Each structure stands twice: as structure tokens, then as C-alpha cells.
Amino acid sequence: MTADDFEQVRNDPDPIRRGQRASELMIRYQQRVTELARLRKAAIEEANRSGMSYVEIAERLGITKGRITQIRSEAPRAERAFFGVGPIAIGIPRRFGFEEGRERPFFDAADQATQEAIEATTGRLALSSSRFAIDRDFAELPAGDVVVICGPKSAPIARSLLSDDPVLSFRRTDEDGWSIADSRTSQHYISPYRRDSATRTDVGYFSRRQDGGRIVVHIAGVTSVGSLGVARWLDLNLAEVFEPSSTFISGVVECDFTADFTVIDTRLIAGPYSDRA
């Protein structure tokens, strides 16, 4: 916490605002303490790979070898940084439908399941999270690290994020509807479920980028269950897909699901494409 942050909270005359601000800062800086623990573990492992023994590293850091073992076993995993430092804001589209002749807002059940899946993943990585709604005119991201679960049809922010991907894009045709196009292979990944609802297979897109001092993860399915497939795949494969030196990475995931939209299998079918490649 900076001196300015501390003084602003301490001197705020409004007790409710003071309490809210104190709570917000506690979450933010607790997340940074956790990230520092991850960075310390990574530094120890890097020093060991460069040829130093753990005994030597402990001596140089002024701690015991037993503490080194504790740090290595208890600190967060490296792939935590896939989502940033935290806290993470996770957004899904607020959709609209007609009920009793009136347009009413609602959230798609598969979008909500995707949001919950990402919350479960980030929670296991010691990242706190909050939720936000993506409205039809939503064009600006909230501050900090963020996960956007939204296709190009739903909001301008999804189209803006997709426009930065040099390889993958969403295309729409009268024959196939939405598909994901791969400029490197000239493949178009079409949702089998969109073509025939009896075929319970869908496709989805993901990207992860550094945006200034924060991380933006974007997930978009051809249908909403495709997004859930991406979330399930990421949960299982973060360690393999995370590249610390990459500023941008993206890929396409195919998933199979049951009649009640439970994802039962996922597989990467394009990418991951990285600015390291």
C-alpha cells in the first residue's frame, strides 16, 4: 500500500466510504502478496536451474533450506500469472428476451456456467474475483485484470478484442453462420451443434494478452456452450498453454457436451498461437 493510499483511507471523513475503500485495498494488496510469493518461488527455481544448489540459494537469501522447501511446495503455481495478479473481474453478456410482451434482461445459463468455471479456476490459483455484466453497447473494459466471456455478436468489446488477433477471427456467412477462421491454415472451424442440434459438439475461442500493466483474457464460443468448453480446457491445460514471455496467445477449442450442456470432453484444434512462435 502506498503512503497516499493509506492516508486517503485514514483521512476519509465518510465512515462507509472509508470502510469500503479499506476493504478494496486489502483485497488488492493481499493479491500482490500472493503474487510476490509466486515470484519468489519462480526466482528460486530459476537460480537452481542456473546451477545453484538449494542450500546455496538458502544461504544467499538468508533463510533455511527447510524454508526453501516450504516455499517451493506452498507458493502459487507459475500458471497463476495467466490471469494476472488479481483481483480478476469476470464478465458475461446481459442478454434480452421477451416475456409477456416485454423485453427483459437475462443471463444465459451456459454463460453463467462459464463464469462459475473461471471463478473456480482462479480461486484454486489464489485469485479473488468479481463479476460484471456486458451490455449490448459495452465497449470499455473495467480497470485491472479481466476475463471477458463474450462473442462478437453480443457487444463491441468482443469485436474490438478480436480485431487485435493476427491469426484467428470470427466470420459469418449465410450458409454456416458464425465460424472461427484461421489465417495460417485457411481452416474455418464451424460449430457442428449450430448446424445440427442433435450433434452435441461446439467450438470456442480464447486469447490472453498483456494490456499495459494488466492481463485481459477473452473467451468466445460459436454458441455459449463453446465458451464453457474453453473454460474447461483452460482449467486442465493452463500449465502447458501459459508462456511467461508471451504478450499474446490464442487458440480454438472443440468440446463435446450432454443434453443438459455438461461438457464431457475438450480438445485444442488450433493453436495455441503465440507472439513467441
Side-chain angles (χ1 to χ4, degrees):
M1 181 182 295
T2 67
D4 284 347
D5 287 336
F6 182 81
E7 291 301 323
Q8 287 174 12
V9 172
R10 188 169 67 171
N11 296 321
D12 193 323
D14 186 314
I16 300 302
R17 187 171 60 228
R18 188 167 66 245
Q20 290 173 335
R21 181 62 175 151
S23 295
E24 291 169 359
L25 287 174
M26 287 173 66
I27 292 172
R28 187 204 303 176
Y29 286 99
Q30 284 168 358
Q31 293 284 271
R32 277 150 180 74
V33 167
T34 303
E35 178 64 7
L36 287 170
R38 186 194 70 80
L39 291 170
R40 180 173 60 176
K41 175 184 177 181
I44 289 169
E45 299 292 0
E46 182 179 346
N48 179 252
R49 288 195 300 272
S50 71
M52 293 181 67
S53 72
Y54 289 119
V55 171
E56 291 173 314
I57 295 168
E59 290 174 350
R60 294 286 295 274
L61 294 182
I63 57 179
T64 66
K65 185 176 183 295
R67 181 63 180 135
I68 289 283
T69 301
Q70 187 179 31
I71 290 169
R72 293 178 61 219
S73 63
E74 295 180 357
R77 296 175 302 188
E79 59 267 26
R80 177 184 194 269
F82 183 91
F83 293 102
V85 175
I88 313 296
I90 306 171
I92 60 173
R94 193 193 329 259
R95 305 182 188 277
F96 291 84
F98 284 91
E99 182 181 343
E100 298 178 353
R102 296 179 59 187
E103 189 178 50
R104 298 182 184 274
F106 71 97
F107 291 102
D108 181 273
D111 286 338
Q112 290 178 310
T114 305
Q115 188 176 51
E116 291 166 3
I118 295 296
E119 288 172 339
T121 300
T122 55
R124 284 195 295 276
L125 296 169
L127 290 159
S128 63
S129 64
S130 61
R131 297 180 174 186
F132 68 96
I134 301 172
D135 289 314
R136 289 179 291 194
D137 60 351
F138 194 91
E140 297 291 334
L141 293 173
D145 299 320
V146 63
V147 178
V148 176
I149 302 165
C150 183
K153 180 181 177 181
S154 298
I157 189 61
R159 297 191 289 273
S160 176
L161 292 172
L162 284 163
S163 69
D164 292 333
D165 194 317
V167 179
L168 300 172
S169 61
F170 273 65
R171 303 287 175 84
R172 187 171 186 174
T173 65
D174 293 337
E175 180 181 353
D176 298 317
W178 288 102
S179 64
I180 303 172
D182 184 329
S183 64
R184 289 195 184 178
T185 64
S186 299
Q187 291 287 322
H188 280 71
Y189 299 99
I190 298 164
S191 167
Y193 178 65
R194 175 66 78 183
R195 278 186 164 180
D196 179 2
S197 60
T199 304
R200 300 191 181 103
T201 299
D202 199 12
V203 294
Y205 163 92
F206 72 89
S207 68
R208 184 253 190 200
R209 75 197 68 198
Q210 293 183 19
D211 178 21
R214 66 169 178 176
I215 297 299
V216 176
V217 174
H218 182 204
I219 295 172
V222 172
T223 76
S224 56
V225 72
S227 295
L228 181 56
V230 170
R232 300 295 189 204
W233 184 86
L234 285 173
D235 184 62
L236 296 171
N237 295 278
L238 270 185
E240 289 72 31
V241 76
F242 174 56
E243 295 181 0
S245 62
S246 293
T247 60
F248 190 93
I249 187 169
S250 64
V252 181
V253 171
E254 186 175 68
C255 70
D256 302 321
F257 55 94
T258 63
D260 64 354
F261 298 101
T262 298
V263 173
I264 55 175
D265 191 29
T266 64
R267 52 206 164 266
L268 185 73
I269 58 174
Y273 296 122
S274 162
D275 55 10
R276 280 188 58 189

